[in-house]
Amino acid sequence: MINLDLHSHSTFSDGTLMPESLVARAAQRGVTTLALTDHDDTGGLAAARAAAAEHGIRLIDGVEISVTWHGQTLHIVGLGIDPSDAVLQAGLEATRGGRADRAERMIAAFEALGIAGSRDGAQQFAANPQLIGRTHFARFLVTQGVVKDIKTAFKRFLGGGQPCYVPHEWATLDAAVSWINGSGGTAVLAHPGRYPLDTAQMRALLSEFRDLGGAAIEVVSSSHRPHHYAAFAAHARQFGLAASAGSDFHSPHESYHDLGSLPELPTGLTPVWEVLN
Ligand code: AMP
Ligand code: MN
Ligand code: MN
Ligand code: MN
């Protein structure tokens, strides 16, 4: 197991723990370096930083930016960003901007299926009103007993092509990488094993990402199984990209890997934490 975790969420996006509790849990579970990477928002970093100092662990300022690339949603993690950077903040604000209208369209889709109350229901879980997302709707469906768990909520309602999925245009790949790099951060392609791309498309993505200034890909991730570790380790070596590891922790009850339980990176890779600015 490794004691770094470079991908996690708090209540500032779709995690269920406040930044202070997230950091406390990470410290308790043996994590010595944690990146908080909320979706499209850096509002939790100040509290996380204070908590990290209290617990004697290192906090890396992070963010996970939502991107649309050839119609496909991608997530780009920025590590070691400067949250006070004005261009980065304007970019994140613009990226968050479409979420309220998207949520309204999801609510309409739930109503069309005879599922009422999703507006208040989802909002109850969205502590950051600017950051309403599908996970908040998924939690509402679970508490209503419509589905047994979050995974089923995505499979039946919220995932791509399902009846309450609302297509959305996020930031461009170019913009997300340049906001991250421009603020002194390092851009990491999150959970590449999750995207429905064939090998040729994945290679095109990795080559474009690298040419735009992307520096690393997640090799170890909760979204990955061991066969992904090997496949993306090979991609990282081939494309000269560094490798990252993150649990993508959202909640004590929802994540596959808890904080502090990630396996080591495969050998022969450059760990991204050795090349952070
Ligand atoms: P959004 O940014 O609103 O589209 O929500 C994306 C978030 O939904 C991801 O960061 C995950 O937390 C969650 N998510 C997406 N797909 C799934 C899935 N199949 N199972 C569980 N959670 C998912
Ligand atoms: Mn999420
Ligand atoms: Mn993600
Ligand atoms: Mn994430």
Side-chain angles (χ1 to χ4, degrees), residues 5-10 12-13 19 22-23 33-46 48-49 58-66 76-84 88-89 92 96 176 179-180 183-188 218 244 276:
D5 191 327
L6 301 186
H7 188 153
S8 69
H9 295 275
S10 77
F12 280 79
S13 64
L22 175 80
V23 169
T33 298
L34 176 74
L36 174 60
T37 57
D38 276 313
H39 298 288
D40 308 322
D41 198 299
T42 60
L45 292 175
R49 174 157 300 285
R58 176 178 176 212
L59 181 87
I60 293 178
D61 287 328
V63 67
E64 181 177 20
I65 304 180
S66 313
I76 307 298
V77 162
L79 297 176
I81 52 150
D82 173 2
S84 72
L88 171 67
Q89 284 305 334
L92 295 180
R96 289 191 299 264
W179 299 335
I180 291 166
S183 84
T186 297
V188 183
E218 286 183 348
S244 190
L276 289 182

Side-chain angles (χ1 to χ4, degrees), residues 108-264:
F110 279 116
E111 275 167 9
L113 292 179
I115 299 171
S118 67
R119 181 180 292 102
D120 290 347
Q123 261 163 11
Q124 247 176 17
F125 291 103
N128 177 355
Q130 289 193 28
L131 221 291
I132 184 133
R134 286 184 290 164
T135 311
H136 306 116
F137 285 92
R139 292 191 183 119
F140 159 73
L141 294 174
V142 173
T143 56
Q144 291 299 106
V146 176
V147 290
K148 68 173 194 305
D149 56 21
I150 302 267
K151 203 176 145 188
T152 312
F154 277 87
K155 202 165 151 192
R156 284 187 38 205
F157 295 100
L158 295 159
Q162 299 313 306
C164 300
Y165 178 76
V166 175
H168 192 73
E169 280 289 319
W170 302 104
T172 66
L173 182 60
D174 187 2
V177 171
S178 70
W179 299 335
I180 291 166
N181 288 345
S183 84
T186 297
V188 183
L189 177 66
H191 43 62
R194 222 162 82 182
Y195 311 127
L197 303 176
D198 64 27
T199 306
Q201 291 168 325
M202 180 54 70
R203 292 180 62 83
L205 168 60
L206 294 175
S207 138
E208 185 174 333
F209 176 63
R210 184 197 52 200
D211 293 348
L212 289 170
I217 60 174
E218 286 183 348
V219 170
V220 168
S221 159
S222 283
S223 298
H224 288 175
R225 303 284 82 88
H227 73 91
H228 292 115
Y229 302 165
F232 288 105
H235 279 307
R237 291 185 201 104
Q238 253 178 36
F239 284 86
L241 292 158
S244 190
S247 62
D248 205 356
F249 179 85
H250 282 72
S251 155
H253 312 292
E254 294 168 12
S255 292
Y256 185 76
H257 280 290
D258 202 335
L259 297 159
S261 65
L262 289 176
E264 300 275 354

